[in-house]
Amino acid sequence: MADTVLYEVSDGLATITINRPEAMNALDIATKVELREAVESAAGDGAVRAVLLTSTGERAFCVGQDLKEHIGLLAEGSTKVMSTVAEHYNPIVRALTQMPKPVVAGVNGVAAGAGFGLALAADYRVVADTAGFNTSFAGVALTADSGVSWTLPRVVGPGRAADLLLFPRTIKAQEAYELGIANRLVPSTELPGAAEKVARALAEGPTVAYAAIKEAVAYGFSHSLAETLDKEDELQTRAGSSKDHAIAVQAFVNKETPKYLGR
């Protein structure tokens, strides 16, 4: 991979870092391709038990689409202008939300547009107290992409989501925490270590159970209670037959700390 996206796997944790700080980690085509490949690699790697998605610098987590490149493509009449949703954003968000392992976003600065979408696609967001969030789409006469029309209403409710989409503005970290967008706020200087600590704790946890929890929550959003109860039965059977469950029960009986295998 080139250096606009860094990818590292260590002790079950895949760390994916958007690395364009000079461009506020904006997403040009090359970066989106690398990000898609990194996320799909993490999703398909059995040695990966959790993922940390973050970026370099302090100003921005990701400001979304690289508008400089976008303007150039518009001027050329390129077909790449709007094909990016199908080719890049959709596969990235599908991989983040559907992989059977938890994803942590370490939001170190502004997350706007598709950058906001990437943060929302994570299962848990550790956010610097200097960060901010902005939907941005309507500000450039576009609709939501990168899953925001699905994820944002489920985090903040449909009324607030409509407000934030129709009237884009930057939400500061504290308000984001109060709205449920941020799961944990930390001083900006502590963000890298805090986000990694959360992600590593998940990488050392009961992977099968985490995957089942993630699947159950997503399923329950779009199904009836009766259907969700059946899904819980299916997923609990799966989790209950895992080695991690046996380890957890034995550790509980022995008053020990469980050491999970991730299977």
Side-chain angles (χ1 to χ4, degrees):
M1 287 185 182
D3 61 1
T4 58
V5 174
L6 308 177
Y7 183 72
E8 178 185 7
V9 178
S10 172
D11 297 325
L13 175 64
T15 302
I16 301 171
T17 308
I18 304 171
N19 187 38
R20 296 189 73 207
E22 74 289 347
M24 297 187 75
N25 295 307
L27 301 169
D28 61 4
I29 290 174
T31 302
K32 286 180 284 191
V33 169
E34 291 179 25
L35 181 59
R36 181 186 65 198
E37 291 175 352
V39 172
E40 290 179 343
S41 292
D45 187 346
V48 172
R49 294 170 58 181
V51 174
L52 172 60
L53 176 64
T54 190
S55 56
T56 52
E58 296 182 358
R59 291 193 303 159
F61 169 72
C62 174
V63 294
Q65 180 70 35
D66 186 324
L67 291 182
K68 290 182 179 179
E69 180 186 69
H70 188 73
I71 290 169
L73 293 173
L74 281 172
E76 296 171 8
S78 173
T79 58
K80 295 180 180 179
V81 174
M82 301 317 299
S83 65
T84 192
V85 173
E87 292 181 16
H88 307 120
Y89 293 136
N90 287 357
I92 291 168
V93 171
R94 284 193 181 101
L96 288 170
T97 57
Q98 295 176 9
M99 69 171 70
K101 54 200 79 175
V103 177
V104 175
V107 183
N108 49 304
V110 175
F116 194 179
L118 294 176
L120 289 170
D123 302 297
Y124 196 92
R125 287 165 290 280
V126 183
V127 176
D129 57 5
T130 53
F133 298 86
N134 194 321
T135 61
S136 296
F137 301 107
V140 289
L142 289 174
T143 184
D145 61 28
S146 58
V148 170
S149 60
W150 193 92
T151 53
L152 186 59
R154 285 161 173 78
V155 172
V156 303
R160 286 194 178 98
D163 176 37
L164 295 175
L165 285 164
L166 292 171
F167 301 100
R169 59 194 183 277
T170 298
I171 303 166
K172 294 183 178 180
Q174 182 60 42
E175 184 180 358
Y177 179 75
E178 293 167 359
L179 289 173
I181 294 169
N183 295 102
R184 183 178 300 182
L185 284 186
V186 298
S188 59
T189 55
E190 297 177 15
L191 187 280
E196 181 177 349
K197 183 177 180 180
V198 170
R200 288 205 175 277
L202 291 169
E204 294 171 359
T207 309
V208 176
Y210 290 155
I213 289 168
K214 185 169 180 174
E215 185 177 346
V217 171
Y219 186 91
F221 275 137
S222 56
H223 292 79
S224 68
L225 173 59
E227 291 170 321
T228 301
L229 289 172
D230 289 338
K231 174 59 72 171
E232 287 183 344
D233 180 26
E234 171 196 328
L235 295 173
Q236 194 69 293
T237 299
R238 182 194 306 171
S241 63
S242 69
K243 290 186 177 180
D244 282 345
H245 174 61
I247 289 170
V249 171
Q250 190 62 51
F252 178 82
V253 171
N254 295 340
K255 298 182 179 180
E256 299 172 344
T257 300
K259 295 182 179 179
Y260 294 114
L261 301 175
R263 57 183 186 271

